[in-house]
Amino acid sequence: MSTPIEQQIVSLLKQGDKKAITLLYENYSDTLFGVISKVITDPELAQDALQETFIKVWKKAKTYDAKKAKLFTWLYRIAYNTAIDKIRSVSNKQSKEIQIENSNVYKLTSNSLNQDVIDIQIHLKTIDVKYQTVINALFFEGMTQQEASDELNIPLGTIKSRLKIGLRELKKIYDPELKSNE
């Protein structure tokens, strides 16, 4: 059983009416912030996650199905997953900090470079653009699959599929025996 306010919010969400976000914020922001705060202890980061939660709710509004879950359960899942993603994103960025002291970058010789893959950017341009975009985002821009999904506005499953297919296409270029076996 849903309450009249939940029914009103769901109706406004389905219509794409921005009043729904105001009502959601007034009725659920404190509770969702509490959910997020259980995962993220930094209050500023938790506020960012709350804001991202409401953005995701707005973007996914038409996918909400009252038959599958209560409104709060749906909101809870989005908030919790957003908090987890935020923590991963922050820890991933921290782990990417460059450590110059321990670097071998200045010790490289031309013999230690794999001559077969130096031209990867050239070969990357020979595969379909949708695969290029995903591979560039993940390997050359350092995004996680979730970040690429959000940035490129492509579902996470599609990102994973395009990565797999794109890598398979590149593998055919670097391992010509694969072409002859197909």
Side-chain angles (χ1 to χ4, degrees), residues 76-108:
Y76 174 90
R77 286 185 192 141
I78 293 172
Y80 183 79
N81 290 336
T82 301
I84 297 290
D85 289 345
K86 192 71 154 168
I87 288 291
R88 286 181 182 152
S89 175
V90 167
S91 66
N92 190 23
K93 286 177 185 170
Q94 289 172 346
S95 70
K96 288 182 184 176
E97 290 179 6
I98 299 173
Q99 308 233 340
I100 302 289
E101 308 84 49
N102 301 331
S103 175
N104 290 332
V105 76
Y106 299 110
K107 299 175 190 170
L108 285 178

Side-chain angles (χ1 to χ4, degrees), residues 7-20 58 61-62:
Q7 292 171 356
Q8 181 183 8
I9 291 170
V10 170
S11 174
L12 291 170
L13 280 172
K14 295 284 183 187
Q15 296 169 24
D17 191 328
K18 292 182 181 178
K19 291 178 194 168
W58 180 250
K62 294 196 178 5

